[in-house]
Amino acid sequence: MNPVVGLDIAKGESHVQMLLDKKMPYKNSVKVNHTVEVLEEVHAYLLDLELQTGMKPPIVLEATGHYQDG
């Protein structure tokens, strides 16, 4: 398996999609409010994805704003 996590970061909320492998979503896409409780839940999902696949998934950010090379 080749797990990966995609993050689309916005000002008030972000969106997270985790994949076990190509075209194999792990859970549904999640809208993430920027609160400690919700971020702890996302962290738990990341740990579970790592447990399921035996690999730490790379995290891919959308290349915009502060994250864009330029």
Side-chain angles (χ1 to χ4, degrees), residues 5-18 28-35 38-39 41-42 45-46 59-62 64 66-67:
V5 177
L7 292 178
D8 182 3
I9 299 174
K11 185 175 181 179
E13 65 186 34
S14 299
H15 294 267
V16 180
Q17 178 64 63
M18 299 182 199
N28 292 323
S29 176
V30 179
K31 181 173 80 171
V32 178
N33 293 319
H34 300 159
T35 65
V38 174
L39 293 174
E41 185 177 324
V42 170
Y45 283 152
L46 288 169
I59 299 175
V60 180
L61 301 174
E62 180 183 14
T64 59
H66 299 293
Y67 307 104

